[in-house]
């Protein structure tokens, strides 16, 4: 049975979910944010140590300003409303990605939630915001060069926002692509793609994927 230490999810399909119901795309994001809780609970109950969720990419700034503003506002509300839950459930909140372009208010709420949950150890939740895999690798290499550290596969890995390899990478919403998500960490990940749109995705769907993952023959290039 394979150990599942690091689960990563590309949460896709919010817009289509909303459109199908005649709602605004942003309603899809709102419902999508609620699914995060179910995923955290599943990870805690199944001893998964790290959950990385792709919430906003370095490319998502290209969306209409109204949608970007909505997502920023939703993120802010998410950070504030989850404080108690994360503390009580032992979730350590982290972000991956470059948060420098965010508003001062958003940065403040990120800092507060990180500080409040820094000693928690049941689950590390990495929320990927203004995240791009290429950007993460570039920032890591720049950091090493600034510190005069030798460039090696291992030093780059350790300088990433999240150094741990992904065991299982799930993408909802029916597309078969990586969209610049955790390129370095996904090198030997198992992939699972599902047509289910993110707001419809739940722990039952995830459990089927995880059970399948556990029985996979992972060879990491060996025999
Ligand atoms: C992809 O769906 C989803 C996003 C770009 C945003 C992800 C955001 C959430 C799941 C909710 C916010 C989460 C938190 C934690 C605040 P899409 O808009 O690309 O959907 P589409 O492919 O159907 O258009």
């Amino acid at each position: 049975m394979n150990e599942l230490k690091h689960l990563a999810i590309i949460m896709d399909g919010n817009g289509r979910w909303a459109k199908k119901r005649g709602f605004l795309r942003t309603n899809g994001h709102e419902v999508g944010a609620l699914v995060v809780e179910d995923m955290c609970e599943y990870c805690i109950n199944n001893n998964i140590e790290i959950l990385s969720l792709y919430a906003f990419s370095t490319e998502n700034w290209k969306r209409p300003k109204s949608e970007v503003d909505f997502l920023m506002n939703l993120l802010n509300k998410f950070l504030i409303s989850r404080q108690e839950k994360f503390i009580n459930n032992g979730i350590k909140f982290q972000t991956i990605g470059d948060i420098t372009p965010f508003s001062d208010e958003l940065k403040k709420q990120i800092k507060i939630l990180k500080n409040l949950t820094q000693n928690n150890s049941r689950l590390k939740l990495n929320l990927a915001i203004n995240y791009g895999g290429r950007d993460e690798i570039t920032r890591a290499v720049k950091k090493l060069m600034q510190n005069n550290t030798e460039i090696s596969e291992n030093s780059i890995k350790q300088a990433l926002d999240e150094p741990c390899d992904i065991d299982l990478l799930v993408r909802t919403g029916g597309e078969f692509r990586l969209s610049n998500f955790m390129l370095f960490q996904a090198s030997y990940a198992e992939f699972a793609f599902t047509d289910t749109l993110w707001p419809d995705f739940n722990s039952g769907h995830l459990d089927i994927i995880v059970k399948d993952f556990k029985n996979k023959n992972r060879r990491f290039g060996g025999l």
Side-chain angles (χ1 to χ4, degrees):
M1 292 277 263
N2 296 311
E3 192 203 351
L4 177 46
K5 179 178 174 184
H6 186 182
L7 168 69
I9 309 181
I10 300 175
M11 311 182 284
D12 196 17
N14 294 345
R16 279 165 286 158
W17 180 90
K19 205 172 159 200
K20 259 178 35 183
R21 288 163 177 76
F23 300 157
L24 295 171
R25 286 178 54 79
T26 47
N27 294 128
H29 296 314
E30 234 166 358
V31 178
L34 301 175
V35 180
V36 171
E37 217 140 293
D38 194 23
M39 297 298 114
C40 290
E41 207 176 301
Y42 180 89
C43 289
I44 290 169
N45 292 336
N46 289 278
N47 300 316
I48 297 168
E49 286 176 35
I50 306 171
L51 172 64
S52 297
L53 298 177
Y54 207 4
F56 193 84
S57 76
T58 45
E59 288 74 35
N60 284 151
W61 297 104
K62 291 185 223 158
R63 293 190 176 200
K65 186 176 178 304
S66 56
E67 185 167 334
V68 171
D69 287 349
F70 185 91
L71 282 167
M72 294 301 133
N73 200 22
L74 183 65
L75 178 58
N76 206 41
K77 283 195 275 188
F78 175 88
L79 296 167
I80 296 168
S81 64
R82 296 311 189 278
Q83 288 179 3
E84 212 177 303
K85 265 240 152 82
F86 284 5
I87 294 169
N88 292 339
N89 293 349
I91 298 170
K92 177 177 179 156
F93 176 79
Q94 292 285 309
T95 57
I96 56 173
D98 176 10
I99 64 164
T100 49
F102 291 132
S103 68
D104 288 344
E105 166 63 14
L106 208 45
K107 279 189 271 204
K108 186 179 102 184
Q109 294 305 337
I110 289 168
K111 196 171 166 190
I112 290 173
L113 193 55
K114 279 184 185 174
N115 286 342
L116 283 172
T117 63
Q118 63 182 340
N119 296 321
N120 289 350
S121 58
R122 288 180 80 188
L123 172 70
K124 178 159 93 167
L125 171 65
N126 287 325
L127 197 64
I129 45 177
N130 190 33
Y131 177 88
R134 290 177 176 179
D135 177 64
E136 182 189 30
I137 295 166
T138 308
R139 284 187 287 105
V141 172
K142 277 188 184 162
K143 220 186 306 175
L144 296 172
M145 290 178 74
Q146 274 159 11
N147 298 336
N148 266 328
T149 308
E150 193 192 336
I151 306 290
S152 68
E153 197 174 304
N154 192 48
S155 67
I156 294 173
K157 183 177 178 170
Q158 295 311 322
L160 295 172
D161 299 339
E162 170 56 69
C164 186
D165 284 346
I166 294 170
D167 296 302
L168 173 61
L169 194 147
V170 177
R171 180 173 188 140
T172 63
E175 308 283 5
F176 295 87
R177 53 178 174 249
L178 205 43
S179 302
N180 201 11
F181 190 47
M182 303 192 89
L183 303 177
F184 195 102
Q185 300 89 333
S187 297
Y188 271 99
E190 299 294 329
F191 287 79
F193 297 95
T194 169
D195 287 339
T196 307
L197 303 173
W198 177 251
D200 285 330
F201 195 70
N202 60 41
S203 51
H205 296 116
L206 180 58
D207 194 47
I208 294 168
I209 293 170
V210 168
K211 291 218 162 88
D212 184 52
F213 160 84
K214 295 246 164 150
N215 291 315
K216 285 241 163 88
N217 180 12
R218 303 186 78 193
R219 291 186 294 279
F220 299 95
L223 293 178

